[in-house]
């Protein structure tokens, strides 16, 4: 049905907890790098979670590797990561790294 929130009940509280733990771990390791995009990192975690990876440490590792690959590619081209906002498959949900909360951009 048009207008229905497709994200309702997509993830359980346990799913969110795993993704949050993965994000905090990843951000602790690479968040100090200026070109790292926190929302893109969170979306990567969500994408890998959706693909069946449900371990916080594995999610964190995969997301860090993806993010650093994107940062390195941008550096190699001489551009900033801001110009290369490659996002995960879910455009509406993102992780607010300042408040450590998941948010839905369609309702903000």
């Amino acid at each position: 049905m048009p207008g229905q929130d497709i994200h309702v009940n997509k993830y359980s509280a346990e799913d969110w907890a795993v993704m949050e733990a993965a994000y905090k771990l990843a951000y602790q390791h690479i968040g100090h790098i200026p070109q790292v995009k926190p929302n893109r990192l969170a979306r990567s975690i969500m994408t890998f979670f959706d693909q069946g990876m449900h371990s916080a440490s594995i999610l964190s590792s995969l997301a860090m590797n993806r993010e650093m690959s994107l940062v390195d590619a941008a550096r190699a081209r001489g551009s900033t990561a801001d110009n290369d906002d490659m996002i995960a498959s879910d455009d509406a949900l993102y992780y607010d790294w300042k408040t450590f909360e998941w948010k839905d951009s369609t309702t903000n």
Side-chain angles (χ1 to χ4, degrees):
M1 170 185 290
Q4 183 178 0
D5 187 358
I6 62 172
H7 305 293
V8 173
N9 300 322
K10 182 174 181 177
Y11 301 112
S12 69
E14 294 81 18
D15 294 343
W16 287 115
V18 168
M19 289 187 283
E20 180 177 3
Y23 177 84
K24 286 181 178 180
L25 182 60
Y27 195 79
Q28 178 183 16
H29 288 291
I30 65 171
H32 65 282
I33 299 169
Q35 294 85 0
V36 166
K37 300 192 89 180
N39 286 341
R40 185 172 63 190
L41 181 65
R43 290 171 194 261
S44 292
I45 289 170
M46 293 173 72
T47 297
F48 289 123
F49 187 91
D50 289 344
Q51 293 172 353
M53 307 299 169
H54 295 164
S55 163
S57 61
I58 292 172
L59 286 168
S60 176
S61 179
L62 290 169
M64 284 189 294
N65 286 336
R66 180 180 185 273
E67 182 65 19
M68 292 312 301
S69 293
L70 294 171
V71 167
D72 290 344
R75 286 178 180 162
R77 286 191 312 273
S79 65
T80 66
D82 291 338
N83 296 330
D84 301 317
D85 195 9
M86 296 177 69
I87 59 174
S89 61
D90 188 342
D91 291 341
L93 296 174
Y94 69 96
Y95 193 79
D96 185 338
W97 61 275
K98 293 178 184 174
T99 62
F100 297 108
E101 295 177 332
W102 291 95
K103 296 189 176 181
D104 182 350
S105 64
T106 63
T107 61
N108 293 340

